Amino acid sequence: MSNESTHLKRGLKNRHIQLIAMGGAIGTGLFLGSADVIKSAGPSIILGYAIGGLIAFLIMRQLGEMIVEEPVAGSFSHFAYKYWGKFPGFLAGWNYWILYILVAMSELTAAAKYVNFWWPHIPAWTTVLVFFVAITAINLANVKFYGESEFWLSIIKVTAIIAMIIFGLYLIFTADPSAGFGFSNLWSHGGFFPHGFEGLFLMLAFLMFAFGGIELIGMAAAEAKDPEKTIPKAINQIIPRILIFYIGSIAILLSLVPWDQFTGGSLDKSPFVMVFSLIGIAWAANLVNFIILTAALSVYNSGMYANSRMLYGLAEQGNAPKVFKQVNKQGVPIPAVLFSALLIFGCVLLNYFVPEDALGHLIYIVVGALVLNWAMISLTHLKFKQAMKKTGQVSKFPALWSPVSNILVLVFIAMVLGIMWKVGFKESVLMIPIWIVLMFGLYKMLNKNMPQ
């Protein structure tokens, strides 16, 4: 390990930042997890993604305001540490690190299921091991290599979703009426809210899982060239992305095949693959399955990147062992990458011992950590605004409608916790205060041995 530098290098170009932001927002939550939501909410899932997208955008504008002022490693953990206190910084950083360990494991598990679409006899743990080794190798290379890999993985899925939307529109407008394609499918099978508003309301917690990953821009800020220009541009494009990729694709999907025909939908089956199978286009189902596989690998790739950079940022604060501050000549925090990879390797074991239940368990845990993560971003932003006001500084990229937007976000998060409790996510909700207490105990223990 070289000691020539203990700093990350700004090797990510504008196109990398744009696609990292896009890649983080398009993954398992849309492609795989939406099957259960469609069954429960029907076409109103479209409205659900619009609501979730608005909340996610408000959170990103709050994070974006802080990032543009200080594009540093550790992102919101750094801000919580600086503007709120040592323990909030510690909690924000380690919660995010654990969150992305779980996200990486979820995406790896999902990738194995996509491979099983073609080769059902291949054990899930074998597929997981192969992808684990490949993505770890990418993250051990310099940041430009990571940026390029994520750029092309994201290009594949973005291009594919646009092509899928265009192809769907072609079928809707040109197919024989007897085929049953049409926008009327969105309201003619029990209405837009077939299970009432409650059907959608109870799915909001699970639906929010789809938006986990948009904060990846924050992790990339310390290695972005010209962050004052690239970060605002990436964040402001989140809303049109959500409109096109989430709302557009789901609307086309449910116009081709009515929502109530997704009787086989489950966490194990993608509605995007199912819809092409149902309308008899086998080659399209194979193509879509390939695209979804690249989407899962893209989010996993970004998750491992985010983990290592957060661990590096925590080490800079003194909230993680100093060894994680070490970088090689290319500016890659090798110890941080390897330690994160070691934990993610647990996914191989999980898929070996409980392959049937692995994805369901992981997604439930991830939602709890994600909720805490977003709450801390919004609360930290309030502290940041207070500090800016005291010093009379003017933000370069002010958040929308703050502090009203912060209150809206926090009320929405409280509502999501209530929904989680009602629909069977009680363990996830209960784990949040237990997790905070455990983190506080760990913080106190480490605080005796680490300089702050």
Side-chain angles (χ1 to χ4, degrees):
M1 197 67 54
S2 170
N3 288 320
E4 287 179 21
S5 172
T6 56
H7 299 289
L8 304 175
K9 296 188 177 180
R10 294 195 179 274
L12 296 176
K13 300 176 182 176
N14 178 51
R15 63 186 177 89
H16 296 145
I17 296 296
Q18 296 294 324
L19 270 294
I20 287 169
M22 205 175 293
I26 305 169
T28 306
L30 171 63
F31 287 121
L32 191 63
S34 53
D36 268 9
V37 187
I38 288 172
K39 286 190 345 182
S40 300
S44 67
I45 184 180
I46 297 167
L47 176 61
Y49 277 123
I51 294 168
L54 173 62
I55 297 297
F57 181 64
L58 293 176
I59 293 168
M60 281 310 301
R61 283 298 299 261
Q62 291 162 14
L63 177 59
E65 181 174 1
M66 297 186 288
I67 291 170
V68 171
E69 291 300 319
E70 295 180 71
V72 295
S75 187
F76 43 87
S77 170
H78 165 84
F79 302 123
Y81 184 83
K82 181 175 179 178
Y83 297 104
W84 195 354
K86 292 179 180 180
F87 175 64
F90 179 92
L91 176 62
W94 282 110
N95 180 70
Y96 190 78
W97 183 79
I98 287 291
L99 167 63
Y100 265 90
I101 291 291
L102 296 170
V103 166
M105 292 170 79
S106 299
E107 299 295 344
L108 260 180
T109 302
K113 293 187 181 296
Y114 301 140
V115 170
N116 284 155
F117 177 77
W118 296 306
W119 301 291
H121 304 299
I122 295 179
W125 70 267
T126 307
T127 305
V128 167
L129 181 60
V130 170
F131 289 136
F132 168 80
V133 172
I135 299 296
T136 302
I138 287 173
N139 278 269
L140 288 170
N142 68 51
V143 73
K144 286 183 182 178
F145 191 66
Y146 159 73
E148 284 299 323
S149 67
E150 187 54 33
F151 177 81
W152 290 108
L153 282 171
S154 294
I155 280 286
I156 290 171
K157 60 186 175 183
V158 167
T159 304
I161 292 174
I162 293 170
M164 201 159 56
I165 290 171
I166 294 170
F167 180 58
L169 288 169
Y170 170 78
L171 290 176
I172 289 168
F173 289 116
T174 63
D176 190 281
S178 62
F181 303 146
F183 293 117
S184 60
N185 284 329
L186 297 176
W187 57 82
S188 59
H189 293 261
F192 189 70
F193 293 93
H195 300 301
F197 184 75
E198 187 181 21
L200 170 62
F201 182 75
L202 294 178
M203 281 294 104
L204 282 176
F206 193 85
L207 183 148
M208 287 307 292
F209 171 74
F211 297 106
I214 55 172
E215 334 84 2
L216 281 166
I217 304 172
M219 292 297 103
E223 292 167 279
K225 292 181 178 178
D226 199 6
E228 286 187 21
K229 290 183 180 178
T230 56
I231 300 298
K233 190 174 181 181
I235 289 173
N236 282 333
Q237 288 181 358
I238 287 174
I239 285 294
R241 278 188 213 119
I242 289 168
L243 288 172
I244 294 169
F245 300 125
Y246 282 82
I247 298 172
S249 59
I250 294 289
I252 294 297
L253 191 82
L254 297 181
S255 297
L256 292 173
V257 175
W259 71 273
D260 53 3
Q261 288 189 29
F262 286 90
T263 51
S266 71
L267 281 173
D268 297 345
K269 295 181 180 179
S270 163
F272 288 83
V273 174
M274 288 164 59
V275 72
F276 286 110
S277 298
L278 285 168
I279 62 180
I281 307 177
W283 66 265
N286 281 290
L287 178 61
V288 172
N289 195 65
F290 169 73
I291 302 307
I292 298 171
L293 175 60
T294 64
L297 293 176
S298 165
V299 176
Y300 167 38
N301 189 27
S302 290
M304 184 171 273
Y305 169 80
N307 271 332
S308 60
R309 271 51 180 186
M310 180 58 84
L311 205 47
Y312 171 89
L314 283 164
E316 278 202 321
Q317 295 168 16
N319 280 327
K322 289 181 181 178
V323 65
F324 296 127
K325 279 178 67 176
Q326 293 181 10
V327 300
N328 64 8
K329 290 179 180 178
Q330 285 74 44
V332 179
I334 300 292
V337 172
L338 291 176
F339 185 68
S340 297
L342 180 67
L343 270 287
I344 293 169
F345 184 74
C347 187
V348 179
L349 303 178
L350 189 65
N351 277 275
Y352 181 79
F353 291 110
V354 285
E356 296 305 314
D357 302 321
L359 185 61
H361 289 313
L362 286 171
I363 287 180
Y364 295 148
I365 298 167
V366 164
V367 172
L370 186 63
V371 165
L372 178 58
N373 176 45
W374 284 354
M376 290 204 70
I377 290 174
S378 205
L379 286 167
T380 298
H381 180 256
L382 286 172
K383 299 284 186 182
F384 166 83
K385 292 295 282 186
Q386 288 172 5
M388 292 285 282
K389 191 174 180 180
K390 282 181 182 177
T391 57
Q393 288 177 270
V394 178
S395 293
K396 299 168 188 171
F397 184 52
L400 291 178
W401 316 320
S402 183
V404 175
S405 63
N406 300 75
I407 295 167
L408 180 61
V409 165
L410 294 169
V411 168
F412 184 84
I413 287 171
M415 184 180 73
V416 165
L417 287 172
I419 294 168
M420 287 167 65
W421 184 270
K422 186 173 182 178
V423 299
F425 284 54
K426 287 183 181 179
E427 293 81 0
S428 296
V429 177
L430 288 170
M431 274 303 297
I432 294 174
I434 293 170
W435 173 242
I436 293 171
V437 171
L438 285 173
M439 283 288 98
F440 186 71
L442 183 62
Y443 166 76
K444 283 295 186 184
M445 186 177 73
L446 293 176
N447 198 35
K448 294 176 183 177
N449 305 314
M450 290 185 190
Q452 296 298 310

